[in-house]
Amino acid sequence: MLEAVRRPTASSKKMGSTLFSSGTFLTQKRAAKKLKVNVKLFATVRKFSQKDNLEINIEEGSRVKDLLSRIGIPQDEPLLVIVNEYTQGKETPLQEGDTLCLFPIIAGG
Amino acid sequence: MFGWNGKIAKVYLTEKKTETVSLDEEFLTNYLGGRGLGVKFVYDLVKPGIDPLSSENILAFAAGPLTGTSCPTSGRYATVSKSPLTGSIFDSNSGGNFGPELKFAGFDGLVVLGKAEEPVYIEIHNGKISIKDARHLWGKNTREVNRELSKFGRVACIGKAGEKGVRFANIMNDYTHTCGRGGLGAVMGSKNLKAIVVKGNKKISISDRERYKKYFQDITRLLVASPVSSKGLSEYGTAVLVNLTNYMRILPTGNFRFSRFDFAEEISGEKINSVFPIKKTPCYACPIACKREVRNTEIEVPEYETISMFGSSCRISNIQTIMRANRLCNEYGIDTITTGSTIACYAELKGEELTDEKLLELVELIGERKGIGQELCEGSMRFARANKNPDISMQVKGLELPGYDPRGVLGLALGYATSNRGGCHLRAYMIGPEIFGKPKLVNRLTFSGKSGLVQVIQNLFTAVDSLVVCKFALFSVGEEEWANILSAVTGIEFVSESLLEIGERIWNIERLFNLTEKFSNKDDTLPERFFQEDGGVEGRNIKKDEFRASLLEYYRFRGWDREGIPTKEKLAQLNIQL
């Protein structure tokens, strides 16, 4: 239920909505339209790509897990997924302009 | 008695006398060991209002019932005293091998009272306690003292900073392991006590070997299966957090004026791993092995907190400089968080951009207590007050805040404010639920639901500090497993709830100690900066009314009155006599 925590999207910020008011999680695919998302890889996740920072065009309605497939990260790889400063799950739908940070499962203090 | 040795060493330095005191099983069941045992001794033996650096203060060292067994991460011990930095009761714990060796030497703990006339060290060898001449060690830093005394056993010692009364001087054991933060090294120095050396070959007796074996395997399996303990911490150490906290906008930058550092990648765990060949240096019985040094050198890899303070908070982007500052702190025996934060406070006060050279010079001046170091060695609260600018000290109850900006993690904000030892992330590590989603993800930008969670985690962490096991294991192993293995070791049945109750008992005793030291609900707060400024994220300043409402709710959950004083009913329930 990680995706239950709502997050502001890049587009909602631009429109000046309040922090938690944007919850339009798209679920159905719309043909041909693409989203542009930024992806940053950290620590052990860097082994899956030649670059640490990626800009990826992906079908509208895609979720985090679809993006992982595009990059070539196995679905069962334990990850800490941050979308626009919020911890999210792999089912979280993506939106135009999102920034994703992918970390291994880490902790510390 | 199983698990425990059932006795502590008492050393009266003024009288040059030593004594062995037996502890009964009921007492140990109520306080376990480590932090709990130390807190109880300090609460009972330290008179209200005394100067922490006077001979009237005491210093307790305590291991726990699991210390010295093969239980994973059980290589820790605690030190407890009245802090010269905060004036509060103060516990600090450390890994390495010193704690287990104290148990092998036949004791669960050591209480040091009074003050020696000349520098001394204490040696405990298989039940025999001696006070020995340490004049030849005085004026030496920690590595050298460790090297000289390690032929006699495992060493915990102070460096020059502890001798000179730097208010945030540490006790260092096994070279690089640290009882940090509250200046217990200065308490040791004020007693003319340079070091403790322990050695022994006593085996820890276990009540039910079959059950123990099963629970040992359960815990090991959980640690190996969890990516946190088997991969994340193990491969990158805590430094891996730098990029994460930077992107979450909670990386203290420029003395907490900002929450993001442009050069975070340069000081990150990724950078360290790409530049230096790393060797793991695990603590006793620890499969996680988060502690690291640069291979073929004796240079320690700094922890996340150290990097966040000397790096982003002081705006230093050279990882080698941060490593040098870390090394200097360990040599002198001073706390890296408070040292870094006090220097960041100094830079803000002076309006100065620190160079790498200046940072290292200031660390050295603090360690030597020379020049401006004579002012900085008092900690940022006293330094900022003396310079008539108290609000630029980023502290709670006199203890500098660690590497997480509370504006972006509101549960941790409440945890900082209510911590009995002041601004600390390790009393309730709310980064777990608020950032990592461990054990369950909660919304980090609301106080809603946090007061109950904070107090439960505080109670649990207090129990864990008393077992003593490592908090990093808590990301993978729950209280039920700890209760199970504790039962198998001691032969006394513990369940999750009994561990939480023990934690709550100790927490309340700490609170009572602080209340008699004139702390009040007014001290359960945060630096004004977090209420007034947003740290570079619009609207992210903490709303005072929301914070206060959450604090009152926290008191209610704790069974305290609106002033934050434990009620008679709560104390009776916890079997605490005033």
Side-chain angles (χ1 to χ4, degrees), chain A residues 43-44 46 85-87 107-108, chain B residues 233 235 265 270 429 435 444:
Chain A
T44 46
R46 288 185 175 168
E85 298 179 23
Y86 281 77
T87 308
Chain B
L233 276 169
E235 283 187 38
E265 179 70 28
E270 288 88 338
Y429 192 62
I435 300 285
R444 66 192 179 105

Side-chain angles (χ1 to χ4, degrees), chain B residues 116-187:
Chain B
E117 223 171 285
E118 299 276 359
V120 295
Y121 73 92
I122 296 169
E123 186 175 310
I124 302 180
H125 191 181
N126 275 327
K128 189 170 174 284
I129 317 155
S130 338
I131 303 172
K132 299 202 161 176
D133 187 355
R135 278 176 296 181
H136 63 296
L137 299 170
W138 207 249
K140 291 184 176 171
N141 271 338
T142 60
R143 189 167 287 272
E144 207 177 339
V145 177
N146 251 289
R147 205 174 282 134
E148 286 205 26
L149 291 180
S150 58
K151 54 183 174 281
F152 304 118
R154 297 285 179 181
V155 180
C157 68
I158 57 169
K160 284 188 192 176
E163 294 174 9
K164 291 168 190 274
V166 173
R167 285 188 191 271
F168 42 94
N170 292 341
I171 299 169
M172 306 287 297
N173 63 278
D174 302 295
Y175 292 93
T176 56
H177 297 265
T178 310
C179 282
R181 309 258 39 215
L184 302 197
V187 174

Side-chain angles (χ1 to χ4, degrees), chain B residues 120-298:
Chain B
V120 295
Y121 73 92
I122 296 169
E123 186 175 310
I124 302 180
H125 191 181
N126 275 327
K128 189 170 174 284
I129 317 155
S130 338
I131 303 172
K132 299 202 161 176
D133 187 355
R135 278 176 296 181
H136 63 296
L137 299 170
W138 207 249
K140 291 184 176 171
N141 271 338
T142 60
R143 189 167 287 272
E144 207 177 339
V145 177
N146 251 289
R147 205 174 282 134
E148 286 205 26
L149 291 180
S150 58
K151 54 183 174 281
F152 304 118
R154 297 285 179 181
V155 180
C157 68
I158 57 169
K160 284 188 192 176
E163 294 174 9
K164 291 168 190 274
V166 173
R167 285 188 191 271
F168 42 94
N170 292 341
I171 299 169
M172 306 287 297
N173 63 278
D174 302 295
Y175 292 93
T176 56
H177 297 265
T178 310
C179 282
R181 309 258 39 215
L184 302 197
V187 174
M188 207 161 143
S190 73
K191 297 185 173 305
N192 269 332
L193 177 61
K194 185 66 181 174
I196 321 270
V197 187
V198 289
K199 191 166 177 61
N201 48 22
K202 189 174 184 294
K203 289 257 184 301
I204 310 302
S205 52
I206 288 171
S207 169
D208 186 337
R209 287 224 152 254
E210 278 308 301
R211 267 181 90 193
Y212 175 80
K213 203 172 148 191
K214 181 191 176 309
Y215 298 138
F216 171 87
Q217 284 167 348
D218 285 351
I219 290 173
T220 306
R221 210 170 13 246
L222 286 166
L223 286 171
V224 171
S226 163
V228 175
S229 36
S230 64
K231 284 190 182 153
L233 276 169
S234 188
E235 283 187 38
Y236 285 90
T238 55
V240 71
L241 293 183
V242 173
N243 274 321
L244 175 63
T245 56
N246 194 44
Y247 274 94
M248 297 302 246
R249 299 213 63 142
I250 54 170
L251 180 64
T253 303
N255 200 29
F256 287 89
R257 275 171 290 173
F258 307 99
S259 51
R260 181 169 281 173
F261 186 47
D262 290 343
F263 304 99
E265 179 70 28
E266 289 303 304
I267 58 170
S268 67
E270 288 88 338
K271 175 81 178 184
I272 294 172
N273 276 29
S274 73
V275 174
F276 302 103
I278 302 294
K279 178 187 158 198
K280 293 176 186 174
T281 53
C283 297
Y284 173 90
C286 183
I288 305 174
C290 68
K291 206 158 177 72
R292 304 167 329 138
E293 63 180 36
V294 178
R295 192 171 293 163
N296 300 327
T297 72
E298 286 180 333

